[in-house]
Amino acid sequence: MASMNDYIQQETITGVVPMTNGDRQYSFWDLFLSTSGFAIATWCYTQGAYVAQYLSFNQMLINIFSFNIIWVFIECLPIIFAVRYGIDLWIWLRAVLGQKGVALLSTVISLANFGWYAVAANLFASSMIHLAGNFGLVLDKGIWGPILGTLCVLLGTLIAVGGPEVIKWTNRFLVIALLAVGVIIVGICFAAVPLSDIMNVQPAVEGDLTPIERFMMSAEGNVAFAFSWSTQALVLPRLAKTERSGYWATTLSYGVVAPFFVATGGVMALAMFVKTGAYESDPTTMLATLSTPAFALLSLLLVAFANIGTQGTGSYVNCMIVKSGMPKLSYKLMVWIAFFYVSALTIWGGVEEYFGSFISLAAYIQGPIIGMIVVDFFLLRKQKLALRSAYFLKGHDAYQYTKGFNIVGMSCVFISLIVAVLFVYNPVTQQIQSPLFLITTGSGFTALLGGGLYWLASLTPLKAYMVRDREEITI
Amino acid sequence: MKEEISIEQLIADETENRLNMMEKEDYPFPERFSKADYTWVVIGVGVNLLLVILAMSG
């Protein structure tokens, strides 16, 4: 019986069973620190350097903070139901996309999300190579990069296999390490390069772009960055004690703390540009270049451990997302499949090479879902879900739709994605296709169109197909 | 196979139990998101939209 209780506890944590009051254990500060630890991973520096090349210092700060706050505040509104009913976003999405629709899109989005962990693994490899260099050991990056990157993924996978308790303790160290890295990097930047020099840097990427096009290209990166949290943002808030603490702890982490570290990455890139004439997205290179050997040694170690912790938390969260679509799959099996997949991405190394395209493509799938879930929660289902149908309990099939797919919901996702690529902004070629991009960005457009189409569909006779659960609402 | 069926049934039963708990009138749902919270969301989005417009207009 004890093992059965353990099993139930495990399945509650992995989202297969709704959480009730007894499971809620996170105060505002518990949730804020846990989420911040996940949000301030070293990929923030990659993002910051990407944004910095387009803008002046003041415009960079507004671009990073404002676009992140606007979209994080909107995309996190569904946290209200995550706390109220103790369910993840993907459980509610069974009503919007259908059972098989969730299985398909949760897998696709997790495959995209794992690209971020390849970035973290390569930063780990880079930090280790620089560390070895500090001890006079020269490692060939072409050979040792993939080996050390895979080692990082392996160590992170072992943490993920350990489950939530191991992850909790890892995160306690992780948050301190990452905060220390951030403070050290800001300190080194301003010690090595005067603030006035950083503020006077002119954008490196001007090309044929007008100032407003550069501003919105940078905004596209920031909106895509904000969207990247959306599909995993509701996993932790289920543990929150109140709707208020769940929402504000999460939005302040993703909307303010993470952008602060992105801005740190931007400052770092500008400082390196002043010093060396090149934009640098790798904090380990910057640390090795701008700081004293002892300081560099300490901070490189922190970066290395932080990336291992990030791998562990990320593997756990993304495998839970896939599990919501395919509940029968073993969690441990998924974690090991993720290990091979992220290792392959790490060895390939293409995620950093095509960073702008990568984050926008992932956001183009997440964008329509953000728009649709906000419309569905507030306007269509008016904050009430048929939970028995959402959990596929026997005799409750309001969300089966057409062979497991909600054709209307799935159509809204794909129409939004295709229209955005063809007529607004093509993330693969990075071509602006329409002046509309200068108002909404490409990723923002997918959210607005996805939500708009879904709402318009609900004003037609299609509503009878979309909302067939009202007689089943009991909670 | 028998083990698999029993685990599936176990999960279904546990889910049913939890939903039955939530249906009770005295179930202590978490404190609701208030009008003041929604107001702060609107203020946060509005202020940042204004900053973006000021930056875009030069």
Side-chain angles (χ1 to χ4, degrees), chain A residues 18 21 23 243 248 388 474, chain B residues 16 18 20 23 28 33 37:
Chain A
N21 248 17
D23 304 312
E243 293 177 15
W248 291 112
R388 285 186 172 77
T474 54
Chain B
E16 186 66 59
R18 286 165 182 249
N20 286 337
E23 281 173 341
F33 207 61
D37 289 313

Side-chain angles (χ1 to χ4, degrees), chain A residues 292-323:
Chain A
T292 60
F295 224 37
L297 183 72
L298 170 68
S299 35
L300 286 170
L301 272 173
L302 289 174
V303 169
F305 285 117
N307 280 312
I308 293 169
T310 299
Q311 292 287 339
T313 306
S315 182
Y316 165 69
V317 168
N318 281 288
C319 287
M320 280 205 304
I321 290 172
V322 178
K323 196 170 168 62

Side-chain angles (χ1 to χ4, degrees), chain A residues 124-173:
Chain A
F124 171 87
S126 187
S127 64
M128 282 296 167
I129 289 168
H130 282 296
L131 265 176
N134 277 6
F135 289 104
L137 185 63
V138 179
L139 297 178
D140 183 335
K141 193 165 186 177
I143 296 169
W144 284 97
I147 293 171
L148 291 167
T150 305
L151 174 66
C152 175
V153 181
L154 175 64
L155 294 173
T157 298
L158 294 176
I159 290 172
V161 168
E165 192 63 19
V166 177
I167 288 168
K168 185 172 83 178
W169 284 99
T170 306
N171 267 328
R172 288 187 180 179
F173 172 79

Side-chain angles (χ1 to χ4, degrees), chain A residues 257-296:
Chain A
V257 176
F260 174 78
F261 279 79
V262 172
T264 302
V267 170
M268 177 195 81
L270 294 173
M272 282 293 279
F273 184 73
V274 172
K275 273 285 183 187
T276 66
Y279 274 80
E280 181 54 65
S281 66
D282 184 338
T284 63
T285 304
M286 173 268 183
L287 288 164
T289 308
L290 293 186
S291 69
T292 60
F295 224 37

